[in-house]
Amino acid sequence: MAVAVTQEPLLRVREVDKHFGPVQALYHVDLDLPAGKVTALAGDNGAGKSVLTKCISGVYQIDHGQVFWDGQPVHIHNTRDASRLGIETVYQDLALCDNLDIVQNMFLGRERLRTGLLDEDDMERAAADTLKGLRVTTVKSIRQPVSSLSGGQRQSIAVAKAVMWNSKLVIMDEPTAALGVVQTRNVLDLIKTLRDKGLAVMVISHNLNDVFEVADRIAVMYLGRLVVQDDASKFDRQSVVDYMTTGGSTRSGGRDKDS
Amino acid sequence: MVEETKTADVGGIGPEQDLTAVRDVVAEVPPGVVAQTLGQYVRGYVARIRAGESGVLPVVVAMIAIVVVFSVLSPVYLSAGNLVNLFQQSAVIMVLAMAEAFALILGEIDLSVGFVGACGAAITVQLIQPATTNWAWPLAIVAGLFFCLVFGMIQGLLITQLRLPSFIVTLAGYLVANGVFLRILLFGPFSGYPNLLGQSNNLHLIYQLMWGNIDPTASWIGAAVVVAGLGAVIFLGDSRRRSSGLVAPPTSVTLIKIAAIAVIAIVVVGICNVNRANLGTLEGVPWVIPIVLAVLGAWTVLLQRTRYGRYVFAIGGNPEAARRAGINLSLIRTTGFMLCSFTAGIGMLLYASYLNGMSNNIQGGQYVLYAVAAAVIGGTSLMGGRGKAMHGVLGGLVIGAIYNGMYLLGLSFEWQYIVTGLVLLAAIIIDAVSRRGSASGSVTRV
């Protein structure tokens, strides 16, 4: 806790507004994403979680407010800007090509070449190293097509693909939504591995079991506002549910920001 | 400690694991990826076929069945003269199928290949006519293929920029090209039937594309060079992977692969070098074989070993994933249609050579269907994301073998259409069933 307060968070979002026509999707949102911590972003449908994520990852541009990266103000105009800073997003649909194998997917768009041709051996070694570093050990061969993988394995590959490029912040949208018990376990372990490697991780989730299992910090959105963010230990299940459904809580956990 | 045993699994199945373990590696893992010994490789291959991921096996089986049936029914079917003839007949379909591969792997279709290619070939044939323009043959070929590239680019731009379905755009392109083709034929003194007869060297060279033969000795030397070159690439590639600790097929499998290529080369050259003439000499490998092999080699490297090829497959597999990876979808798709039309130009130029000219009763529409059929019979998926240049060659050979056999038996065109249609149907059924079979092993295949 003390560390998180004194250290400059990797990403700082201040007073961010975003509207689509007359609809105000984000209203004065403040959010901190410190390195080496998992921040869970909770909220009901339509609370603005996706919009906030897309503003950070460059899909949308913010209308007002400021974004600081490592203490420096930055403007993220598109996804390429975000990638250049080290922000990678793993969307719910994962965006993997079923017909390509694991190595080909992990390097898609950034293939390594040797004398103009694909350097498959080099890419295979690098992909194997990354997977080993993340302790993704359940796949039989990194040369198998993604279509032959389980849901959890696919999620792991999508994450590995995201962190392969020296990324510093990984945003994951509902990473465990479609997974079984064992696979959820594997993905949560993977998230902890990322944190232990010093990355900032933001996980969007509806699943409070997962949130309390993996999150160091919890932020809750309600109707376009970020109503609370604090250490996970300050919350309990009921207080998170209260914040998600009413925007406030009468229980001891968390502190209200907006009222 | 626990970690160590876990990470050992990454590289593949350890040698101590047996049959059951190999069979566990479901369906879609190529046997070369997990096998450490020849035995495991074979078992892995069998397991894969059982799981419905059969690769080129159905084509090879079909090919053998066709050859057996026709050789029983017709004594000349397996004669050297007929086999070479069969290959010459198939060559056009092979090249057109390799053209279609670009569209199919992208998840699109190009119905215009027959007549667009025919336009290019007609331009070439017209430009080299001594009585009119009398261009040198290389320039005339470049002009014809350039037309194809431009036609493909227009179709590609319409498909990508206006987001029109390729089916309709290329159907329109098919009709337009048909008309343009007939107009091109009308120029010059032949009025509809420009041909390659005559004393000009340029005419003669285009004629030789299909009918010229390489000297038998040169044929052997050429085949030896090709086999040695391919063998060296395969062997060095595999041993580099083995020595750097990556998963590679066992040495025995590598050697068997190279031996198989050598055997095929020896058989082909041996057949071609038999004197095929009733009177005089007609021997040696026809030029068309190295031409088809050159197209096959170039497009195999382009599709399997370059960024461009990788992006073609990525777009065919999941366009959204490709877009997010920063791939320029419009550029890759448009150039895909350009390469498709370009290759079709090569194929129809071979056809012009085969026919000894161009005529207004060329069945460009029928050739499109043969091209799609050949690619699918060879194993290219109609759903996009899966295919090889090699599939077009194998499928083209199957269609050519059926055609040739029925022709020898004196069956009429009606029957040839019906049988070819049924073979196409069978190929699509195999494609669909194998996809369903492998889908059972995966989680999210819609």
Side-chain angles (χ1 to χ4, degrees), chain A residues 10 14 17 32 35 57 62 72 74-75 146 159 164 166 174 185 217:
Chain A
L10 180 67
R14 284 294 173 268
D17 288 346
D32 290 346
S57 61
I62 57 175
Q72 304 297 316
V74 288
H75 296 281
V146 163
V159 172
M164 192 152 186
N166 293 322
E174 298 280 0
R185 172 87 268 133
R217 304 178 70 255

Side-chain angles (χ1 to χ4, degrees), chain A residues 86-177:
Chain A
I87 301 172
E88 293 285 342
T89 310
V90 180
Y91 292 98
Q92 215 171 337
D93 64 2
L94 301 184
L96 297 172
C97 292
D98 268 5
N99 57 331
L100 300 183
D101 69 31
I102 294 173
V103 181
Q104 292 169 343
N105 266 293
M106 286 176 67
F107 276 91
L108 189 62
R110 324 189 209 198
E111 288 80 3
R112 293 186 188 170
L113 300 180
R114 208 179 49 160
T115 59
L117 299 178
L118 297 172
D119 192 347
E120 295 286 355
D121 296 359
D122 191 38
M123 290 191 277
E124 186 170 331
R125 269 193 296 271
D129 286 348
T130 302
L131 290 179
K132 209 181 275 180
L134 297 175
R135 303 200 183 83
V136 177
T137 53
T138 58
V139 294
K140 288 233 163 60
S141 157
I142 59 172
R143 279 300 180 187
Q144 71 191 95
V146 163
S147 58
S148 65
L149 300 178
S150 71
Q153 289 172 329
R154 297 162 70 91
Q155 184 77 46
S156 303
I157 300 306
V159 172
K161 180 183 173 186
V163 302
M164 192 152 186
W165 310 103
N166 293 322
S167 47
K168 293 169 184 151
L169 166 62
V170 176
I171 302 169
M172 301 171 77
D173 190 1
E174 298 280 0
T176 58

Side-chain angles (χ1 to χ4, degrees), chain A residues 226-244:
Chain A
L226 198 118
V227 290
V228 64
Q229 59 173 329
D230 211 331
D231 278 19
S233 56
K234 300 286 181 60
F235 295 89
D236 59 22
R237 258 159 206 289
Q238 192 52 51
S239 61
V240 173
V241 171
D242 287 348
Y243 279 116
M244 283 169 66

Side-chain angles (χ1 to χ4, degrees), chain A residues 57-59 76-84 87 91, chain B residues 324:
Chain A
S57 61
V59 176
I76 302 172
H77 297 294
N78 51 44
T79 52
R80 210 161 296 160
D81 285 351
S83 299
R84 213 171 294 134
I87 301 172
Y91 292 98
Chain B
R324 284 197 208 149

Side-chain angles (χ1 to χ4, degrees), chain A residues 27-77:
Chain A
Y27 187 79
H28 285 345
V29 169
D30 291 350
L31 178 68
D32 290 346
L33 296 175
K37 300 271 180 192
V38 178
T39 306
L41 183 63
D44 208 351
N45 290 338
K49 304 187 301 280
S50 294
V51 177
L52 178 57
T53 311
K54 286 178 174 169
C55 285
I56 295 172
S57 61
V59 176
Y60 297 149
Q61 290 184 47
I62 57 175
D63 296 331
H64 300 287
Q66 277 183 302
V67 177
F68 298 90
W69 179 259
D70 255 341
Q72 304 297 316
V74 288
H75 296 281
I76 302 172
H77 297 294

